[in-house]
């Protein structure tokens, strides 16, 4: 325990310099604005900022990206509450009760509740990050090629299943597209060039940053330009008394803790994301609430559950990112690329090579949370004005960053064309209602899946049964098989029919007894 406190204190001392604190301020504030503006997402903000941190030292670059991530997830609540338009997908559940509260003249109270909920959710996640990450890294140190193959496949499958639960096939197809992209270029064992289509620039594969900037940046620009203009709510918002605010939050302390734990656990599941954390926390709060009839009509409990849940996913998603090298969300996937860019190698060896990194990132999250709370409480009028920025001014600026960022990293025109290609593909997929998270996870995990599969076959002399006989591998294989089986529409309908039939039979039995 003393070692943990010593590591945290050392990280706190290293990050408390004036320059680092200045980075916390501007990066968190920029993240809040990015999240608040409809059409800009946390993943896009982190991807664009990654291209601009190349000249910074390791800790400063990671701190800036963490603050952008935390700020953007929180910032989405500003437009969700004021406009009924979630600034990020993670804030969709926030709009259900935040916007009705604004219409009731309680906009300031709604904004303050969302701010405190986001702060508490992130803090719960930070505690669980410190408690879970080190032992998980030590457990993962015993993983071999067989386990990492199934872990990579599980990340892609589960993100496809949960992101679009109604149409899991589209999630699986998006994941396969990402895997196909990851197969381009020199493979990781013998450096044999594959699928380069005689284009020499593709011999080294598709760089992750241009692909992500295109899929999340340029595609968002194209998609946002097709959306209708947002309208601000006209009713004046009355400033909430501090006593009412604290009473409201204290009255829902169980919901805050429950939502924080749910959000963190959702974040640990590879590739699921903040939106699932918000909806899961919202559903759990509604199930246990004494005022469930108010949910969707301006419930303060529903608002705080949604905001606590989506913010808790941020530190939760960093747990598998740091210890397994498997991103917990799309934004965490971009962070993996940034960590490699700045000399940090996520995975089981992080506790041996850079054991202080987990605690350093925990302190970075604490700084970002404090800055988020201060700005969230103090700058509500500014957010209202920023949301009125015309899209015709904002989107060209974002497009310029999409072009400049990838080119600045490598000075290759080819990377700009990669960005354009993935931007158009991402836009088309979004119009067809395909999720982006499995696509990104496929690109990120494709190399791990490919190398683990072939290393495992080499170790077993081509015997594929080795992937099913080790306990952890067998567990992952069974879990993946069940997930795919239950996502098949006829199977789901059969299960629903049996459930309804069982309820009907029990009802008939009880009627007969009466």
């Amino acid at each position: 325990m003393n070692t943990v406190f010593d590591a945290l204190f050392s990280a706190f001392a290293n990050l408390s310099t004036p320059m680092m604190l200045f980075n916390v301020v501007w990066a968190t504030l920029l993240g809040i604005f990015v999240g608040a503006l409809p059409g800009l997402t946390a993943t896009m903000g982190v991807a664009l900022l990654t291209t601009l941190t190349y000249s910074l030292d390791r800790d400063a670059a990671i701190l800036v990206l963490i603050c952008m991530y935390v700020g953007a997830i929180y910032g989405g609540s500003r437009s969700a509450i004021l406009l009924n338009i979630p600034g990020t997908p993670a804030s969709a559940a926030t709009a259900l009760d935040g916007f009705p509260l604004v219409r009731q003249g309680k906009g300031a109270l709604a904004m303050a509740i969302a701010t405190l909920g986001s702060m508490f959710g992130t803090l719960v996640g930070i505690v669980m990050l410190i408690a879970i990450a080190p032992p998980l890294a030590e457990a993962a140190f015993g993983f071999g090629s067989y386990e990492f193959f199934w872990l990579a496949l599980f990340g892609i499958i589960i993100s496809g299943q949960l992101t679009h639960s109604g149409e899991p096939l589209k999630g699986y197809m998006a994941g396969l597209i990402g895997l196909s992209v990851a197969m381009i270029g020199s493979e990781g064992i013998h450096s044999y060039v594959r699928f380069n289509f005689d284009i020499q620039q593709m011999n080294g594969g598709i760089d992750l940053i241009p692909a992500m900037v295109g899929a999340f940046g340029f595609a968002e620009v194209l998609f946002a330009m097709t959306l209708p203009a947002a309208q601000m709510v006209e009713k004046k918002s009355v400033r909430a008394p501090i006593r009412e605010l604290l009473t409201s939050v204290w009255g829902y302390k169980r919901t805050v803790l429950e939502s924080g734990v749910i959000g963190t656990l959702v974040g640990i599941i590879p590739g699921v994301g903040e939106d699932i954390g918000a909806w899961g926390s919202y559903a759990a709060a509604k199930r246990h609430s004494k005022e469930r009839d108010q949910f969707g009509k301006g419930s303060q409990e529903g608002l705080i559950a949604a905001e606590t849940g989506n913010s808790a996913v941020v530190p939760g998603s960093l747990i598998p990112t740091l210890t397994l090298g498997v991103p917990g969300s799309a934004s965490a996937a971009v962070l993996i690329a940034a960590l490699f860019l700045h000399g940090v190698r996520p995975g089981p060896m992080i506790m041996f090579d850079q054991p202080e990194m987990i605690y350093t990132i925990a302190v970075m999250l604490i700084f970002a949370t404090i800055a988020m709370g201060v700005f969230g409480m103090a700058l509500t009028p500014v957010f209202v004005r920023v949301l009125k920025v015309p899209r015709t001014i904002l989107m060209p600026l974002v497009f310029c960053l999409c072009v400049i960022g990838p080119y600045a990293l490598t000075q290759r025109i080819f990377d700009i064309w990669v960005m354009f290609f993935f931007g158009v593909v991402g836009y088309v997929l979004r119009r067809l209602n395909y999720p982006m998270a499995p696509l990104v996870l496929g690109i990120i995990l494709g190399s791990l899946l490919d190398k683990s599969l072939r290393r495992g076959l080499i170790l077993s002399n081509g015997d594929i049964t080795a992937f099913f006989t080790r306990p952890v591998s067998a567990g992952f294989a069974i879990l993946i098989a069940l997930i795919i089986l239950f996502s098949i529409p006829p199977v789901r309908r059969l299960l629903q029919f049996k459930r309804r039939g069982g309820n009907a039979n029990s009802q008939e039995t009880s009627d007969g007894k009466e």
Side-chain angles (χ1 to χ4, degrees):
M1 184 62 69
N2 290 334
T3 304
V4 173
F5 283 119
D6 290 343
L8 290 173
F9 181 79
S10 175
F12 183 85
N14 292 334
L15 296 174
S16 296
T17 63
M19 192 63 201
M20 286 295 193
L21 295 178
F22 174 72
N23 287 333
V24 171
V25 170
W26 74 260
T28 306
L29 187 59
L30 179 62
I32 294 174
F33 286 150
V34 167
L37 292 167
L40 307 185
T41 64
T43 307
M44 184 181 74
V46 175
L48 291 177
L49 198 56
T50 298
T51 63
L52 305 178
T53 60
Y54 186 70
S55 60
L56 297 178
D57 64 79
R58 184 196 71 178
D59 287 349
I62 297 173
L63 175 64
V64 164
L65 296 175
I66 292 288
C67 291
M68 165 63 76
Y69 188 8
V70 172
I73 294 301
Y74 162 74
S77 66
R78 308 297 89 180
S79 54
I81 292 171
L82 293 173
L83 302 177
N84 200 28
I85 298 177
T88 62
S91 300
T94 302
L96 291 182
D97 291 295
F99 191 66
L101 282 171
V102 174
R103 288 193 174 278
Q104 297 170 17
K106 298 180 180 179
L109 177 63
M111 303 271 274
I113 287 175
T115 301
L116 288 180
S118 295
M119 290 182 66
F120 290 140
T122 309
L123 292 175
V124 171
I126 292 170
V127 172
M128 295 184 68
L129 167 66
I130 296 171
I132 295 175
L136 180 61
E138 293 182 11
F141 188 65
F143 280 23
S145 298
Y146 311 105
E147 288 80 10
F148 275 111
F149 166 78
W150 289 114
L151 181 63
L153 186 60
F154 173 76
I156 299 168
I157 293 294
I158 197 68
S159 66
Q161 170 72 17
L162 294 183
T163 306
H164 272 257
S165 57
E167 297 179 284
L169 181 60
K170 288 188 175 182
Y172 300 153
M173 292 176 66
L176 287 175
I177 294 173
L179 285 175
S180 300
V181 172
M183 297 301 108
I184 295 174
S186 301
E187 48 85 19
I189 295 182
H190 302 293
S191 298
Y192 181 79
V193 177
R194 312 168 295 182
F195 312 119
N196 68 337
F197 303 100
D198 292 328
I199 301 175
Q200 288 189 354
Q201 291 92 334
M202 293 173 63
N203 287 354
I206 299 297
D207 285 346
L208 184 61
I209 296 299
M212 285 188 166
V213 170
F216 288 103
F218 187 41
E220 289 284 355
V221 171
L222 296 176
F223 190 79
M225 296 303 291
T226 64
L227 297 175
Q231 295 293 325
M232 294 290 293
V233 71
E234 295 296 333
K235 188 166 184 176
K236 185 178 179 180
S237 179
V238 180
R239 184 172 296 276
I242 297 297
R243 180 179 297 179
E244 182 182 356
L245 170 63
L246 296 178
T247 302
S248 298
V249 175
W250 178 254
Y252 302 125
K253 53 184 179 295
R254 175 187 171 184
T255 300
V256 170
L257 182 60
E258 179 185 64
S259 300
V261 173
I262 291 174
T264 306
L265 294 178
V266 168
I268 294 175
I269 302 173
V272 176
E274 296 81 11
D275 51 342
I276 304 299
W279 286 114
S281 301
Y282 187 85
K286 185 176 182 180
R287 189 179 305 117
H288 300 142
S289 176
K290 297 178 181 178
E291 49 188 52
R292 66 185 66 182
D293 57 320
Q294 294 298 315
F295 276 62
K297 302 175 184 177
S299 168
Q300 296 178 19
E301 185 176 8
L303 175 60
I304 199 169
E307 276 302 296
T308 304
N310 66 29
S311 293
V313 173
V314 175
S317 68
L318 296 179
I319 295 175
T321 300
L322 294 172
T323 59
L324 302 176
V326 177
S329 66
S331 300
V334 184
L335 276 175
I336 280 189
L339 290 172
F340 276 107
L341 192 66
H342 291 283
V344 179
R345 297 188 62 82
M349 290 298 294
I350 194 169
M351 289 303 297
F352 295 90
D353 297 336
Q354 297 165 311
E356 78 288 348
M357 183 52 60
I358 290 176
Y359 304 107
T360 299
I361 289 180
V363 174
M364 291 177 180
L365 287 167
I366 293 173
F367 282 175
T369 303
I370 295 172
M372 173 188 72
V374 172
F375 289 135
M377 292 294 188
L379 299 180
T380 296
V382 177
F383 295 139
V384 174
R385 293 190 180 94
V386 168
L387 293 176
K388 295 180 180 179
V389 175
R391 192 175 294 145
T392 52
I393 295 177
L394 179 66
M395 290 305 163
L397 296 176
V398 175
F399 172 72
C400 290
L401 290 175
C402 290
V403 174
I404 293 172
Y407 180 76
L409 285 178
T410 59
Q411 286 79 48
R412 293 198 311 170
I413 298 296
F414 177 74
D415 286 338
I416 298 179
W417 289 113
V418 170
M419 185 276 297
F420 270 109
F421 176 80
F422 278 91
V424 173
V425 170
Y427 172 74
V428 172
L429 290 177
R430 285 199 59 178
R431 298 297 296 183
L432 296 175
N433 204 28
Y434 280 78
M436 288 291 101
L439 174 66
V440 174
L441 263 293
I443 298 175
I444 289 285
L445 300 178
S447 176
L448 175 64
L449 185 147
D450 178 46
K451 287 189 289 188
S452 298
L453 174 63
R454 291 189 295 120
R455 282 174 181 163
L457 291 174
I458 291 172
L459 291 172
S460 63
N461 293 320
D463 184 9
I464 199 171
T465 59
F467 285 88
F468 301 92
T469 54
R470 291 164 64 104
V472 176
S473 296
F476 272 125
I478 293 172
L479 186 59
I480 290 171
L482 291 175
I483 291 173
I484 296 175
L485 178 64
F486 291 144
S487 68
I488 299 173
V491 176
R492 288 208 312 272
R493 286 195 293 267
L494 178 62
L495 292 175
Q496 292 171 359
F497 174 77
K498 288 186 175 182
R499 190 179 300 116
R500 287 196 299 267
N503 291 338
N505 292 336
S506 62
Q507 182 67 37
E508 291 174 2
T509 303
S510 62
D511 291 343
K513 289 181 179 179
E514 291 175 358

